Amino acid sequence: MKERKIRLLSVEDAKNFVKVTTGCDFDVDLYDNSIMIDAKSIIGVLSMDLRHILTVRYSGENEELEAFLDDHMKGIEKIA
């Protein structure tokens, strides 16, 4: 199981995140503290507090997902 921290700064980021995760043939979950949702659900992702740093957990390999996560974790180390 892999775990990454990301920041979705806009509704557009959330839409792009769901688009990328739906292309994965494995489960992708999104966590905000104790709340967990299916990251392939646009309604679920938009229900999260996008002001927070979110945790993504997944167990497969997908280059597009990895690139998206890399791009959306910039600056988190400075915040956390």
Side-chain angles (χ1 to χ4, degrees):
M1 180 72 58
K2 297 179 184 179
E3 185 173 291
R4 304 272 302 268
K5 303 280 188 197
I6 64 167
R7 194 105 195 245
L8 301 173
L9 299 173
S10 67
V11 171
E12 193 63 34
D13 281 350
K15 286 187 208 176
N16 291 334
F17 176 66
V18 171
K19 183 178 177 182
V20 169
T21 59
T22 56
C24 297
D25 61 352
F26 48 87
D27 290 337
V28 182
D29 296 320
L30 188 64
Y31 292 82
D32 182 10
N33 294 321
S34 62
I35 299 169
M36 187 271 298
I37 59 103
D38 179 355
K40 297 179 182 183
S41 165
I42 188 67
I43 293 173
V45 172
L46 290 176
S47 72
M48 300 296 258
D49 188 344
L50 298 181
R51 296 173 295 176
H52 293 175
I53 294 172
L54 304 172
T55 303
V56 181
R57 289 190 187 141
Y58 58 101
S59 57
E61 295 288 329
N62 182 291
E63 288 181 22
E64 191 176 0
L65 176 61
E66 295 291 340
F68 184 92
L69 297 176
D70 287 343
D71 190 46
H72 287 82
M73 65 180 284
K74 294 176 182 166
I76 288 178
E77 298 80 19
K78 295 175 187 171
I79 297 169

